[in-house]
Amino acid sequence: MDGSIEHAGHVRLRDLDAEAGSSFSADHSRDRTDHVYDREPDTPVHTSGASMVSSFFNLTNAIVGAGVIGLPYAIRQAGFIIGVLMIIVLALLVDWTLRVLALNSKLSGQQTYQGLVEHCFGRTGLLANSFFQGAMAGGGMASFIVIVGDTLPHVLSALMPTIGQTGFGRVVFSRRFVIAFFVIFMAYPLSLYRDVGKLSKTSAFAVVAMCTIIASVIIEGPQIDSSLRAEPGSPFVLANTGVFQAVGIITFAFVCHHNSFMIYGSLRKPTLNRYFEVIHISTVIATVASLIIAVIGYIYFREKTQGNILNNFPQDNLLINIARSLFALNMITTFPMETLVAREVIDQLMFRDQEFSMKRHVIITTVLCALCLVVGETVCNLGVLLELTGGLSASFLAFILPPACYIKLCSGPMVSWKTVPHWLCICFGFTVMVLSTVLSIRHAVVSQEANGSCWNVQ
């Protein structure tokens, strides 16, 4: 263990001095004691002295998640120019709010998102944050498992058609068997890690897998049958009416704030400047990757662009099937990141004053994975549910809480030129949250898709 990690790897962020380059320090904290508890900040269990490179892979993996394959569809919804601008603007906003969260941690002395919100807004804030954070993590876990079930059985059957036609193949390549196998033998063991730093190797694989997916779309797009691509002379829409639907898709793709405290705490020396560097590099890489797949995907398919860009390609395309399999494996390696968040929410709400128990740790992890396994085995299409919970939670966690906590903590009046950007961000967050919720409910009402049960799907 690195010598800079005290108490067997438990770094207390409140003991870390702000670096000279930081423009804030704990002395700037507003003298408010209404909701400040006398207890010590919660000691994190997810720190191990991870390197900058490991933290970079973890944060990049958290940003470039499942939502990235929906970005071409976001361009279609908003129009090319508006869509590209929105990806860039929202990426900058995510970069800024991640840094605001780190500053809030420094100002408050808290090492968890829940602890920060409770420090600022008391028990009510903690409950609200726990609901949205748990919904975001739980929805992510469930969606990853559903993606595995929707992707890998077809890939396996296409790669090994002879085996797939046998009785053994029909069982092994079935949706239910594939989901159960990957949850029990991959997602669950990885989720038992207490230390997010130990997931850096799987996060590195996830980043490489995402690059492969982008490359496959670029390479195979011009080579597939012309009937699958945009019609010759089809309009290249520069601005469209689905702006707010696109905002929801992009927000879901970029938001990783519920993972950020664990990644911050996993740094070997979790100073603000070092973490800001990780944020900047990760956000730039994620934005470039997102713009590439969004722009290329939309140019190839335009009005035919689907919500999952990989569904625009035929089922027998070898390279795309490799990309689909890597995407499914990417979901498995991202799954533990969401499990860590969901488990921490439960610990904070129900066992905050108790010492760590390995038995409790295993039970909570097992229950979370089992619930997601049940969802994956019984539900084919989480569409509207995930759209509702993801859009609602992502906006609240990324665009409302970080600036609201900063306004509560910073020195000076709550309304001033210094806090104008934060108030604007809060207004933007509420706007996106309300519109996303309304549009999701509207989609649920007008959608002709039945609430899918997968018991008839082999």
Side-chain angles (χ1 to χ4, degrees):
M1 183 64 66
D2 190 285
S4 64
I5 308 302
E6 69 171 350
H7 303 302
H10 294 165
V11 179
R12 293 186 176 274
L13 302 183
R14 63 186 176 86
D15 294 334
L16 298 173
D17 294 329
E19 294 188 7
S22 300
S23 59
F24 295 89
S25 69
D27 293 334
H28 289 126
S29 178
R30 187 191 307 275
D31 185 17
R32 297 169 182 263
T33 59
D34 295 344
H35 305 295
V36 178
Y37 293 75
D38 292 330
R39 63 181 177 82
E40 291 290 319
D42 301 312
T43 301
V45 296
H46 41 70
T47 56
S48 69
S51 67
M52 294 265 297
V53 174
S54 296
S55 297
F56 157 74
F57 280 123
N58 281 331
L59 187 58
T60 303
N61 182 34
I63 297 175
V64 188
V68 72
I69 60 171
L71 291 177
Y73 183 73
I75 296 286
R76 172 189 167 185
Q77 291 285 80
F80 184 78
I81 293 179
I82 301 298
V84 169
L85 288 177
M86 283 170 44
I87 290 176
I88 296 173
V89 170
L90 288 174
L92 292 173
L93 192 57
V94 165
D95 181 287
W96 179 68
T97 51
L98 284 173
R99 287 182 285 127
V100 169
L101 269 183
L103 290 171
N104 291 340
S105 175
K106 183 67 181 179
L107 293 173
S108 65
Q110 301 295 321
Q111 298 103 7
T112 65
Y113 208 155
Q114 300 98 303
L116 169 65
V117 176
E118 184 179 14
H119 179 84
C120 294
F121 302 108
R123 182 70 176 176
T124 301
L126 175 65
L127 292 175
N129 175 75
S130 297
F131 170 78
F132 287 106
Q133 198 168 352
M136 185 72 181
M141 292 168 65
S143 66
F144 299 159
I145 298 304
V146 171
I147 288 171
V148 170
D150 290 344
T151 305
L152 277 189
H154 301 292
V155 172
L156 294 173
S157 297
L159 293 178
M160 293 173 281
T162 303
I163 297 178
Q165 294 173 2
T166 65
F168 173 78
R170 282 192 291 270
V171 173
V172 174
F173 294 171
S174 69
R175 184 181 194 276
R176 290 195 288 273
F177 184 90
V178 169
I179 286 179
F181 179 87
F182 276 94
V183 171
I184 295 172
F185 293 103
M186 294 189 68
Y188 176 64
L190 289 173
S191 297
L192 288 172
Y193 277 124
R194 296 176 58 205
D195 189 338
V196 71
K198 293 180 179 178
L199 297 176
S200 59
K201 291 183 176 62
T202 61
S203 294
F205 163 77
V207 173
V208 172
M210 191 57 63
C211 293
T212 304
I213 292 170
I214 295 172
S216 68
V217 171
I218 295 174
I219 294 171
E220 293 296 326
Q223 301 184 43
I224 63 173
D225 191 282
S226 59
S227 63
L228 299 176
R229 300 198 304 268
E231 298 291 340
S234 59
F236 194 80
V237 180
L238 300 181
N240 210 346
T241 57
V243 173
F244 290 106
Q245 294 94 316
V247 170
I249 296 171
I250 298 169
T251 300
F252 184 81
F254 275 90
V255 166
C256 60
H257 297 61
H258 53 306
N259 301 118
S260 62
F261 274 76
M262 292 183 294
I263 297 172
Y264 183 11
S266 72
L267 271 171
R268 182 170 296 120
K269 295 180 180 179
T271 58
L272 294 179
N273 284 350
R274 284 169 60 83
Y275 184 55
F276 287 177
E277 186 176 347
V278 171
I279 291 174
H280 290 321
I281 296 174
S282 299
T283 305
V284 168
I285 297 299
T287 303
V288 171
S290 299
L291 285 172
I292 291 174
I293 193 169
V295 170
I296 297 298
Y298 175 72
I299 290 176
Y300 286 159
F301 301 104
R302 301 187 193 180
E303 76 282 354
K304 294 183 179 180
T305 305
Q306 299 187 37
N308 178 348
I309 190 62
L310 296 180
N311 289 342
N312 281 99
F313 294 87
Q315 293 295 320
D316 58 353
N317 187 297
L318 178 59
L319 183 56
I320 292 298
N321 277 334
I322 293 174
R324 289 184 177 120
S325 63
L326 289 176
F327 184 62
L329 292 176
N330 184 10
M331 295 302 95
I332 295 297
T333 58
T334 307
F335 184 95
M337 298 283 288
E338 303 299 334
T339 308
L340 283 167
V341 175
R343 188 170 57 225
E344 187 170 289
V345 168
I346 295 174
D347 275 332
Q348 285 285 314
L349 282 177
M350 303 177 64
F351 309 104
R352 59 184 304 171
D353 296 323
Q354 300 182 24
E355 294 184 359
F356 171 78
S357 166
M358 180 58 72
K359 180 180 179 180
R360 184 177 74 243
H361 171 85
V362 173
I363 290 175
I364 293 175
T365 305
T366 303
V367 170
L368 288 172
C369 291
L371 289 174
C372 290
L373 176 59
V374 170
V375 172
E377 294 281 21
T378 57
V379 179
C380 280
N381 184 3
L382 290 178
V384 173
L385 176 62
L386 292 182
E387 186 177 323
L388 179 62
T389 57
L392 186 69
S393 302
S395 300
F396 188 81
L397 294 174
F399 305 138
I400 296 174
L401 276 185
C405 289
Y406 176 80
I407 291 172
K408 192 78 172 178
L409 292 168
C410 73
S411 60
M414 296 183 67
V415 180
S416 66
W417 287 111
K418 180 180 180 180
T419 59
V420 165
H422 303 79
W423 284 112
L424 291 176
C425 186
I426 292 173
C427 292
F428 172 78
F430 273 114
T431 301
V432 172
M433 185 172 67
V434 171
L435 289 175
S436 295
T437 303
V438 172
L439 291 173
S440 297
I441 295 175
R442 179 178 178 273
H443 182 208
V445 172
V446 303
S447 176
Q448 298 180 355
E449 295 182 14
N451 292 327
S453 172
C454 291
W455 291 113
N456 296 324
V457 177
Q458 300 299 320

